[in-house]
Amino acid sequence: MNDKEFESVFSEELFNKIHKMIEEKKLSFGNIAMLLKHMGYWKTMKGMYIDGFIRSLLFERFEEMIAEEEKKKEEKNEKLLVDLCECYLLLSNGHILTNIVSIIVPCLLKATLNREENEETQKEVEMALQALSCIRAESFVEQKLYLNGMREIIQYHQEHHNLTRLAYYSVWEFLLHKLSFERSLKDIVANELHFAREARRELEELTRCVDWIEKDEDKRRKEKEEVIFLKKWIKVLNPYLLTCKIWNEELVGLMSCIVNVFGAAKENYREVREKCIESLKNSAFNKTVKVEDLLKSRAVDLALKIIVQFGTVEKLIAGSVVFFWHICVKLKGMNMKENDEAKRKEMKRMMFEKTEEEGYEDCIVVLSRCMANVTLQSQYYFI
């Protein structure tokens, strides 16, 4: 089902009908919650934006029910509150009101504490974390509400591997959404929780699971879970690679892994390749990333290969040219101190030798042209 089909089915009218059923008690809330969570699951898995819910009467009713249930003390129904919070987040496109953040986040984090090793418990934890991952970057959440809980979830999984693939991805997606506004999170994510290492492990595992040589178009159209998650991981990596200021060997390894994903993906999976090039282009733009990092990760080799072998594929060739443009900015010395002049010349020599020894004359021409004309204004224009 594509975006238009989703929107036509999950319309404002549908959610208003569900609201009416609740009012008239024609369906139990348990059945309604099950239906809404199933809808929300596929909405988030496909990354679709459906605004029928937030425009409906059901949206306002859920906000009221969450607030009312939280006010209760002895008679509070914890299961009902969890169901309300999950449905609300999964279907609301992250449009969460500030006054109920302090209710929803602790409620759903509490739901993840059950570590019984059975499929039902795993699915419950997965749903709670998936719902939390729907909270957008612009929604303010106090760090004290989530940091200790998220840290514990990740570290426990790293030791015991208790989470499903979706649950673990959802934890990271939530944290990465918060990075833009929480500077103190950056060191925790990079050095304490080892995000780059974990992302690389997930990508490597998914790459091994995908049948890259599938030729049946109908089977490819019905994307398998592994391909969906591969795209989701690379998508969430892109802004991180663009802005990360704590660069280490784990990130170089992650870039190398992205190069491998590109190599594994065949023509049938062009979208995966395009996302990989976007990641490498973002890494090259990042001022923290050094030219030697791009060489060590084989990102330069891949960009050279694309210019020679994929010259007719517009998105790939454009991404590769911009990748080299950013390298030229670095080699030009705009991001380097004066005492790095010798290093700059060495990196420049290595870049030209790499292109020349492989016989990529076209790449040398492109690189030379970029270096002759590079300006800061053009740098930002090509982003």
Side-chain angles (χ1 to χ4, degrees):
M1 188 179 290
N2 59 35
D3 288 24
K4 289 185 177 180
E5 290 170 335
F6 250 86
E7 191 172 356
S8 65
V9 174
F10 303 142
S11 62
E12 180 182 354
E13 289 74 21
L14 172 66
F15 291 113
N16 282 337
K17 286 180 181 178
I18 294 174
H19 174 266
K20 187 175 182 181
M21 289 180 188
I22 295 176
E23 290 282 298
E24 297 176 353
K25 297 183 180 180
K26 289 184 177 180
L27 276 178
S28 69
F29 184 79
N31 288 333
I32 289 173
M34 187 181 300
L35 170 64
L36 294 175
K37 283 195 277 188
H38 189 71
M39 292 164 62
Y41 169 84
W42 283 109
K43 170 187 169 293
T44 56
M45 284 294 286
K46 293 292 186 180
M48 293 182 174
Y49 184 92
I50 308 298
D51 63 358
F53 177 69
I54 61 175
R55 291 188 285 106
S56 70
L57 297 172
L58 190 61
F59 178 70
E60 295 180 4
R61 181 175 179 83
F62 266 54
E63 290 176 343
E64 293 171 359
M65 291 175 70
I66 290 171
E68 289 172 2
E69 194 61 37
E70 174 62 20
K71 288 178 182 178
K72 297 178 182 177
K73 294 183 179 179
E74 296 180 1
E75 300 178 0
K76 184 185 297 185
N77 185 332
E78 297 287 352
K79 177 65 169 61
L80 172 61
L81 186 57
V82 169
D83 285 341
L84 287 167
C85 293
E86 288 175 348
C87 293
Y88 178 77
L89 286 182
L90 288 168
L91 293 168
S92 66
N93 300 315
H95 291 276
I96 177 171
L97 293 181
T98 304
N99 63 329
I100 60 172
V101 168
S102 59
I103 300 174
I104 289 178
V105 174
C107 171
L108 294 185
L109 278 177
K110 184 178 179 180
T112 68
L113 296 178
N114 189 346
R115 293 190 175 128
E116 294 179 19
E117 295 184 3
N118 58 67
E119 187 175 349
E120 182 180 354
T121 298
Q122 280 193 322
K123 286 296 180 184
E124 290 174 355
V125 171
E126 177 185 87
M127 187 63 71
L129 291 172
Q130 185 184 13
L132 283 170
S133 73
C134 294
I135 300 177
R136 299 294 92 185
E138 59 270 19
S139 297
F140 176 72
V141 184
E142 287 186 277
Q143 198 175 102
K144 66 181 182 182
L145 292 177
Y146 67 84
L147 182 55
N148 289 337
M150 290 295 182
R151 178 193 276 126
E152 182 181 345
I153 289 168
I154 289 173
Q155 291 176 337
Y156 189 86
H157 175 77
Q158 288 174 348
E159 183 176 352
H160 300 281
H161 303 286
N162 64 306
L163 297 177
T164 66
R165 181 176 285 151
L166 173 58
Y168 195 47
Y169 168 81
S170 297
V171 177
W172 282 114
E173 185 177 24
F174 175 90
L175 281 180
L176 294 179
H177 282 160
K178 302 295 117 194
L179 279 180
S180 300
F181 303 98
E182 298 284 354
R183 292 184 180 180
S184 59
L185 265 185
K186 295 178 181 180
D187 182 63
I188 295 172
V189 165
N191 296 325
E192 182 182 338
L193 300 178
H194 301 282
F195 168 67
R197 181 194 69 192
E198 295 297 296
R200 177 181 181 177
R201 184 179 59 78
E202 292 292 318
L203 285 178
E204 289 176 341
E205 184 177 327
L206 288 166
T207 303
R208 288 193 294 267
C209 293
V210 175
D211 181 5
W212 296 108
I213 61 174
E214 176 60 67
K215 296 184 181 299
D216 189 310
E217 188 174 347
D218 289 334
K219 289 183 179 179
R220 290 202 313 272
R221 190 178 294 117
K222 298 175 181 177
E223 286 187 332
K224 293 184 178 179
E225 181 182 279
E226 290 82 6
V227 178
I228 293 174
F229 275 109
L230 199 66
K231 290 179 181 179
K232 289 174 80 68
W233 268 106
I234 298 177
K235 182 179 178 180
V236 83
L237 280 172
N238 280 338
Y240 183 79
L241 293 172
L242 183 65
T243 60
C244 177
K245 300 304 178 188
I246 303 176
W247 205 263
N248 53 31
E249 285 299 313
E250 290 182 357
L251 274 160
V252 175
L254 177 58
M255 289 170 61
S256 181
C257 177
I258 293 171
V259 171
N260 291 339
V261 173
F262 182 97
K266 305 300 179 182
E267 283 299 314
N268 299 335
Y269 294 91
R270 182 177 293 183
E271 186 182 350
V272 173
R273 285 182 160 182
E274 290 173 356
K275 290 181 182 296
C276 289
I277 294 304
E278 183 73 15
S279 293
L280 298 180
K281 185 186 75 173
N282 286 349
S283 299
F285 176 70
N286 190 330
K287 293 181 180 180
T288 309
V289 182
K290 300 176 182 178
V291 175
E292 51 262 49
D293 295 331
L294 301 173
L295 287 164
K296 190 185 300 184
S297 67
R298 296 174 292 115
V300 171
D301 299 81
L302 176 57
L304 291 170
K305 179 180 178 181
I306 288 170
I307 288 177
V308 172
Q309 297 184 12
F310 297 84
T312 59
V313 184
E314 290 186 6
K315 286 190 177 180
L316 295 184
I317 192 72
S320 298
V321 170
V322 175
F323 173 84
F324 277 115
W325 186 277
H326 295 320
I327 288 181
C328 292
V329 173
K330 295 176 186 292
L331 293 178
K332 194 75 172 179
M334 292 179 177
N335 300 323
M336 304 181 75
K337 298 177 182 178
E338 290 183 7
N339 58 6
D340 288 333
E341 179 62 20
K343 189 175 183 180
R344 182 188 72 81
K345 289 182 178 179
E346 175 64 14
M347 289 297 104
K348 181 178 176 181
R349 182 190 63 79
M350 290 176 64
M351 286 292 300
F352 274 96
E353 283 187 357
K354 179 172 284 292
T355 57
E356 191 170 19
E357 70 186 13
E358 297 294 339
Y360 296 137
E361 292 86 357
D362 292 340
C363 295
I364 296 173
V365 171
V366 171
L367 186 59
S368 299
R369 186 177 301 143
C370 288
M371 292 188 69
N373 298 291
V374 67
T375 63
L376 281 173
Q377 290 77 16
S378 298
Q379 174 191 4
Y380 288 110
Y381 174 78
F382 274 94
I383 283 296

